[in-house]
């Protein structure tokens, strides 16, 4: 099944809902970064959260989520946009902790419970929008929820779920986001809270073959769900050798000359996707000529 996200309305338009199957997307990130099981779950949940927040953007508008906790994984950075693209990396991918007291992967132990959750939105305006909240849980679903409630003043519920195989690869990954619109009654909010208490993990539902539409039907059991659209989601990084060349130029001639003299070349590695780009001596000399204006 291809990865995709659905947008829907329920309770007469008073609740906006999103659900996503991101299994292949998260699996791609796991392969590229060689994450071990606890890091796989932490990065996977962050990517799913990035896709759900990204679904609120238009087209090429971009968003960066930075999760900087005090746990052993270090920082987690995720970029997404309104087209369903997401990419991300985790500072320490080789984290494998014992299961928590509930017998589940200990994402909280990996991420930590103290730190900062930051969202930066580039909406094509002069200044990007930036919002920041403290990490309140480390399980990440609650941290996305808290960010939306505090920074964007949208009462929300975010569920993020990743099932990791014994060899650290991804079995299933997905999630949902519900946003309560102004004017929703207390009854609607209470009904939703009650439903979410008993909701199975999204990754377990996906394992059973349930679709994002099915997941919303389960959440809103007995209520009419109006599907607005579905759209593909994917791991996508737009790095290139040209972009790295531009970045190397900013280092200046002496730094580039040192790369030639000391290393006989340079290797650049993209943090987001792990792609490697090699620059040999003639290519680096060409970059110096661009700086000095000697290149025709």
């Amino acid at each position: 099944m291809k990865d995709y996200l659905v947008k829907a309305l329920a309770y007469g338009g008073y609740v906006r809902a999103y659900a996503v199957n991101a299994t292949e997307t998260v699996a791609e990130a796991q392969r590229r970064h060689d994450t071990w099981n606890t890091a796989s779950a932490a990065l996977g949940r962050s990517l799913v959260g990035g896709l759900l927040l990204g679904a609120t953007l238009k087209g090429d508008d971009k968003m960066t989520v930075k999760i900087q906790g005090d746990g052993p994984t270090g920082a987690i950075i995720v970029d997404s946009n309104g087209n369903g693209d997401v990419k991300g990396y985790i500072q320490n991918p080789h984290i494998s902790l014992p299961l928590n007291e509930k017998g589940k992967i200990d994402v909280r132990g990996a991420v930590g419970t103290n730190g900062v959750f930051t969202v930066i939105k580039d909406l094509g305006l002069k200044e990007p929008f930036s919002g920041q909240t403290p990490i309140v849980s480390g399980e990440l679903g609650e941290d996305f929820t808290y960010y939306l409630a505090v920074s964007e003043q949208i009462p929300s519920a975010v569920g993020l779920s990743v099932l990791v195989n014994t060899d650290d690869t991804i079995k299933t990954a997905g999630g949902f986001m519900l946003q309560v619109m102004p004017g929703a009654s207390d009854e609607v909010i209470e009904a939703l809270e009650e439903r979410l208490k008993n909701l199975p993990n999204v990754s377990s539902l996906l394992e059973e073959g349930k679709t994002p539409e099915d997941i919303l039907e389960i959440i809103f059991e007995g209520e009419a769900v109006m599907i607005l659209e579905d759209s593909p989601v994917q791991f996508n990084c737009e790095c290139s050798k040209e972009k790295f060349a531009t970045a190397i130029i900013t280092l200046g001639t002496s730094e580039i000359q040192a790369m030639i003299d000391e290393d006989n070349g340079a290797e650049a590695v993209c943090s987001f996707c792990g792609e490697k780009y090699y620059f040999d001596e003639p290519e680096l000399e060409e970059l110096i000529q661009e700086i000095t204006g000697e290149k025709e």
Side-chain angles (χ1 to χ4, degrees), residues 166-219:
T166 50
D167 63 355
D168 299 334
T169 59
I170 304 301
K171 191 163 204 175
T172 57
F176 65 85
M177 179 169 71
L178 313 178
Q179 300 192 325
V180 179
M181 297 295 101
S185 67
D186 290 344
E187 287 78 20
V188 165
I189 295 167
E190 284 163 17
L192 269 183
E193 285 173 349
E194 207 48 50
R195 294 290 309 136
L196 293 175
K197 272 183 202 166
N198 306 309
L199 185 71
N201 266 343
V202 170
S203 51
S204 305
L205 294 172
L206 292 170
E207 193 186 8
E208 291 167 18
K210 298 281 192 285
T211 64
E213 290 91 341
D214 294 334
I215 289 162
L216 292 182
E217 292 289 349
I218 292 165
I219 293 172

Side-chain angles (χ1 to χ4, degrees), residues 24-35 43 47 88 235:
E24 265 311 304
T25 303
V26 173
E28 176 79 1
Q30 189 280 327
R31 286 191 293 269
R32 284 179 174 273
H33 297 299
D34 183 37
T35 49
L43 177 60
L47 289 164
F235 185 98

Side-chain angles (χ1 to χ4, degrees), residues 222-236:
E223 288 292 323
V225 177
M226 181 182 172
I227 303 291
L228 301 175
E229 63 172 300
D230 62 71
S231 48
V233 298
Q234 54 279 320
F235 185 98
N236 183 38

Side-chain angles (χ1 to χ4, degrees), residues 125-202:
L125 307 169
K126 277 185 183 172
E127 291 294 317
F129 161 85
S130 181
Q132 201 170 70
T133 49
I135 289 173
V136 291
S137 154
E139 289 286 352
L140 298 178
E142 293 95 325
D143 298 294
F144 276 88
T145 300
Y146 187 73
Y147 162 77
L148 286 165
V150 173
S151 196
E152 300 198 9
Q153 268 93 51
I154 305 171
S156 307
V158 179
L160 309 172
S161 194
V162 178
L163 213 53
V164 184
N165 291 313
T166 50
D167 63 355
D168 299 334
T169 59
I170 304 301
K171 191 163 204 175
T172 57
F176 65 85
M177 179 169 71
L178 313 178
Q179 300 192 325
V180 179
M181 297 295 101
S185 67
D186 290 344
E187 287 78 20
V188 165
I189 295 167
E190 284 163 17
L192 269 183
E193 285 173 349
E194 207 48 50
R195 294 290 309 136
L196 293 175
K197 272 183 202 166
N198 306 309
L199 185 71
N201 266 343
V202 170

